[in-house]
Amino acid sequence: MEETIEEPIQLSFPLPRSLDTKIHLRLTIKSKVILLFLTTMAADEGDQAAPMGSFVYALPNKYSPSQPLSTTIYSVEPTLEFTTRLAKILAKKTQMPVYVANSISFANTGLGGTVEEEMEAFKKVIEVTLDKLQGVIKTTDVLPNGTGSS
């Protein structure tokens, strides 16, 4: 579990249901914390700066492991729910504190950001991020039938 990657992981992938927009992801993994930054960039935007999105901190809840705790550090209403849900899922899966900054815009999706388009993008971000976090995700000491190993 004590995997630390010195260099941040930076990658981009297409925003689902969008022709020319990509989600840019920057993931930093330290021994005690994970930082994830997300934004979108359309091909025609060039070097324009992305607007600030929401910034959320989430951590595992030792009293209720299925319900991670979170607090909003910076709030931009259109991105807040997506950011909070993402931070909580990552905190639950990794059992580590997580900071997530998100300024993903769904304006360039086919229908302008419907719930289905947001969910598709959310699933893709989770899939890509968890793939990069495989060395960090803690395995629980539980057998397949749900009983402990002791």
Side-chain angles (χ1 to χ4, degrees):
M1 193 307 292
E2 295 299 320
E3 181 174 319
T4 300
I5 299 173
E6 293 304 319
E7 291 296 316
I9 298 167
Q10 298 184 76
L11 56 103
S12 63
F13 49 93
L15 176 65
R17 299 188 188 191
S18 174
L19 296 175
D20 65 347
T21 303
K22 290 188 172 201
I23 296 174
H24 293 269
L25 178 146
R26 180 182 173 106
L27 178 65
T28 305
I29 304 166
K30 297 294 182 184
S31 62
K32 302 218 184 269
V33 70
I34 295 169
L35 290 97
L36 176 64
F37 298 92
L38 300 163
T39 192
T40 49
M41 177 81 66
D44 61 349
E45 288 179 345
D47 291 336
Q48 288 181 333
M52 180 74 171
S54 296
F55 192 42
V56 173
Y57 174 70
L59 68 157
N61 183 348
K62 67 180 183 177
Y63 300 111
S64 179
S66 65
Q67 296 295 318
L69 306 170
S70 70
T71 189
T72 302
I73 297 170
Y74 184 79
S75 173
V76 174
E77 196 57 41
T79 61
L80 183 59
E81 182 184 348
F82 187 100
T83 310
T84 303
R85 285 180 25 228
L86 182 58
K88 285 183 171 187
I89 286 174
L90 294 176
K92 182 178 174 182
K93 294 277 188 188
T94 62
Q95 290 299 299
M96 290 177 66
V98 178
Y99 288 94
V100 177
N102 169 36
S103 61
I104 290 177
S105 169
F106 296 98
N108 291 338
T109 54
L111 298 173
T114 64
V115 173
E116 292 80 14
E117 290 170 330
E118 253 190 77
M119 286 305 301
E120 201 171 323
F122 186 80
K123 288 176 186 175
K124 185 66 176 174
V125 168
I126 289 287
E127 174 189 318
V128 169
T129 305
L130 290 179
D131 180 57
K132 298 298 178 188
L133 289 171
Q134 284 306 308
V136 175
I137 296 174
K138 290 183 178 180
T139 56
T140 57
D141 196 29
V142 176
L143 298 174
N145 65 359
T147 61
S149 61
S150 48

